[in-house]
Amino acid sequence: MSAAVATPPAAEAAPEKKGKGKLIIIVVAVLGIAAAGYWFFLKPSGPPPPPEPGEVVVLEPIQVNLNAGHYLRLGLALQLTTSVAHEADGSKALDAAIEVFSGKAIGEVNSPEAREKLKKELKKHVDHDYHGDVMDVYFTEYVTQ
């Protein structure tokens, strides 16, 4: 009688394996669906495209005091991006130009190499002031005396 009541251990283990197998399949399926959702909806799309050139805003020329009584007459134009939805205010660019060029010796602004270096410095200031809305800065007038 006791042999009929006792169940073999192999018979009890089989249903547990079957349940674990279903659980593993469900977990793998859920992870697969989550990975596919991330891939299609949340994955980074890569770096943003470079800005496209928009309107060029020409500013009125200004005179900047240099060292030893000399001055620089400077005209600027700002190359805006197409993302700019409002009229560009040139006062920030003119203020940056005054900051960059004021007090320089005439020898520091006359050579083409120095002019290019100062232009890069001015562009860095303008880029910061306009939060990336200005792509480039052009000199429309550049006269020293």
Side-chain angles (χ1 to χ4, degrees):
M1 261 205 239
S2 64
V5 177
T7 57
E12 290 178 5
E16 288 180 28
K17 280 188 177 180
K18 200 173 194 181
K20 286 183 182 178
K22 285 183 182 179
L23 180 63
I24 290 173
I25 290 172
I26 291 172
V27 169
V28 169
V30 168
L31 288 175
I33 291 170
Y38 171 78
W39 179 260
F40 288 111
F41 299 112
L42 300 176
K43 81 171 186 173
S45 60
E52 294 182 24
E55 179 184 0
V56 175
V57 177
V58 179
L59 305 177
E60 290 291 320
I62 59 171
Q63 291 184 16
V64 180
N65 291 326
L66 300 175
N67 195 6
H70 296 284
Y71 70 90
L72 167 67
R73 183 164 172 85
L74 180 66
L76 296 174
L78 305 175
Q79 174 72 62
L80 304 177
T81 63
T82 55
S83 64
V84 178
H86 53 81
E87 179 95 14
D89 178 21
S91 61
K92 293 177 191 176
L94 295 175
D95 184 55
I98 292 169
E99 183 180 332
V100 169
F101 289 95
S102 285
K104 301 274 187 209
I106 197 161
E108 292 180 84
V109 298
N110 268 347
S111 74
E113 297 83 20
R115 190 176 318 145
E116 190 61 34
K117 179 182 172 195
L118 290 168
K119 184 178 182 180
K120 286 180 183 178
E121 185 179 342
L122 176 61
K123 184 178 178 330
K124 189 168 78 173
H125 282 271
V126 168
D127 190 46
H128 178 266
D129 291 344
Y130 288 92
H131 308 289
D133 288 343
V134 176
M135 287 180 64
D136 208 353
V137 176
Y138 307 115
F139 292 145
T140 58
E141 196 170 329
Y142 197 94
V143 180
T144 58
Q145 183 174 343

